[in-house]
Amino acid sequence: MTRGQRASPAAGQGWPFLLPLLLILLCVIGYPLIRTLYLSFTDASLNALGIRPAWLGWDNYVYALTSPDFLSSLWHSTYFTVVSVALEVVIGVLVALLLNQKFRGQAFARALLILPWAIPTIVNATMWRWIYNPEYGALNALLTQTGLMGDYRSWLGSPSSAMNMVILADVWKNYSLVALIALAALQSVPDEIYEAAALDGVPIWTRFWRLTLPFILGPLSVAVVLRTIEAFKVFDIIYVMTRGGPADATKTASFSVYQEAFTYLQAGSGAAYANVMVLISALLIAGYLLLMKRQRAA
C-alpha cells in the first residue's frame, strides 16, 4: 500500500469537523438563494407580506430582460466594470513597477500603497463627493486656479460626467489592490534575468513584454477576474455619491435591484433582477475557475 493510499482514510476524518460550517453556509447562503429564486416566479410585494403571492412563471424574467430601464442599468454596470478595471490594471501595474525599484523611502511608499484600499468604501465615496462639490470642492478649485477651467462645474450633476467621476473615485480606491498583487508577483522575478537582458541591450518595453509580463500574468489575471466580479456588483459607492442619478446616468444593475425591491416594493421582479445578476456573476466565476485550471495545467 502506498503512502497516498494510507493517507486517504485520515483525510475523510475531517468531514465531521467541516459539517457545522457547511450547515451554517447552507442556512446563510442556501436558504436566501432558494427563497429569492421562488419569489422571482411570483408577484410577491412588500406591500402585501401577509398575502400568499401568486405564481407568475417566467413573467418576471421576461419583464426584466425586456425592460429598457433594467437593460440600461446592465449597460451602466458593464461600462463601469470595463473602464474601472482597465484603469486599475494599468495604474496598478505601473505603480508596482515603480515600487519594485530601489530608492530611498521605498518601504514607506509601499506602506502608503495599501491606504486607499484600506479606506471603507462609504468613507471613500463621501470624501470624493466633497472633492467634486460644485460650490467648494477641491477639484473645481484646483482646475480654476490653475486656469484649466473657467467656472465651477457640477461634476456629479451632469449625466455626461457623473459616471466617469464615480469611476475615478473607485479606481483611486482599488488600483492599490492590483498594485499589491502585481508587486508581490514581481518579487519572484530573478534579478539575473533583467541583468542579462540589459547587457544584451534589450529595450525596456521588450523586457516588460517578454520577461516581466509572463511572470506576473497569472496573479494579475486573478486580480482582474476578482475586480471584474466586484465592479459588476457595484452598489455602495453609487448609493452614496449619486443615488443612481442624475437622470439615471449612474444607475447600475445592483441599484436597479435595490430600487425595484425596496423603493417600488416589488419583491418578485426585484428577485428576478437579482437572479439575472447572479447568473452573470456565475458566468464570471466560471470563467475565473477555467482560467485557474488552465494556469495550473500550464
Side-chain angles (χ1 to χ4, degrees), residues 16 32 34 36 43 55 64 128 147 183 192 196 202 208 234 241 243 269 271 274 288-289 293:
I34 296 173
T36 302
D43 65 347
W55 185 263
W128 280 94
L183 181 60
E192 293 79 7
V202 179
F208 171 78
V234 64
M241 293 187 70
R243 295 293 200 277
S269 53
Y288 165 70
L289 295 176
K293 182 178 180 180

Side-chain angles (χ1 to χ4, degrees), residues 135-296:
E135 297 179 359
Y136 52 82
L139 181 60
N140 278 322
L142 175 65
L143 294 178
T144 53
Q145 291 176 13
T146 55
L148 297 176
M149 191 172 65
D151 299 316
Y152 276 28
R153 180 176 177 182
S154 179
W155 298 100
L156 297 178
S158 171
S160 62
S161 63
M163 179 61 84
N164 292 327
M165 294 299 103
V166 175
I167 288 175
L168 178 60
D170 184 75
V171 169
W172 182 84
K173 172 176 170 53
N174 291 301
Y175 86 90
S176 56
L177 174 63
V178 179
L180 286 169
I181 293 175
L183 181 60
L186 286 171
Q187 306 301 306
S188 64
V189 182
D191 293 335
E192 293 79 7
I193 296 180
Y194 290 120
E195 294 172 358
L199 291 174
D200 291 339
V202 179
I204 294 178
W205 173 250
T206 304
R207 271 184 263 171
F208 171 78
W209 192 255
R210 297 293 181 86
L211 299 178
T212 305
L213 189 59
F215 275 95
I216 69 173
L217 188 58
L220 195 61
S221 300
V222 174
V224 168
V225 174
L226 293 178
R227 279 300 306 140
T228 299
I229 295 172
E230 287 297 316
F232 187 77
K233 300 186 303 179
V234 64
F235 172 80
D236 41 12
I237 193 170
I238 297 290
Y239 182 83
V240 174
M241 293 187 70
T242 64
R243 295 293 200 277
D248 291 342
T250 61
K251 186 177 178 180
T252 59
S254 292
F255 197 88
S256 284
V257 174
Y258 161 79
Q259 198 170 55
E260 186 74 13
F262 300 107
T263 302
Y264 305 146
L265 304 179
Q266 300 300 313
S269 53
Y273 284 12
N275 286 334
V276 171
M277 286 199 64
V278 168
L279 178 60
I280 296 174
S281 298
L283 292 175
L284 292 175
I285 293 172
Y288 165 70
L289 295 176
L290 180 61
L291 178 65
M292 294 296 295
K293 182 178 180 180
R294 288 183 175 178
Q295 287 181 357
R296 285 195 297 267

Side-chain angles (χ1 to χ4, degrees), residues 87-111:
L87 289 174
E88 288 163 15
V89 170
V90 172
I91 297 173
V93 170
L94 291 176
V95 171
L97 290 172
L98 175 64
L99 294 180
N100 195 47
Q101 307 301 314
K102 292 181 173 59
F103 58 90
R104 181 174 297 180
Q106 181 192 54
F108 180 70
R110 289 182 176 181

Side-chain angles (χ1 to χ4, degrees), residues 9-61:
Q13 295 177 2
W15 282 105
F17 298 97
L18 291 176
L19 188 58
L21 176 61
L22 294 176
L23 290 175
I24 293 174
L25 290 177
L26 181 63
C27 295
V28 174
I29 299 177
Y31 174 76
L33 285 176
I34 296 173
R35 181 65 176 173
T36 302
L37 183 63
Y38 164 73
L39 290 176
S40 68
F41 291 103
T42 70
D43 65 347
S45 172
L46 297 182
N47 276 327
L49 294 178
I51 302 175
R52 184 179 182 85
W55 185 263
L56 298 180
W58 295 96
D59 288 358
N60 285 330
Y61 289 95

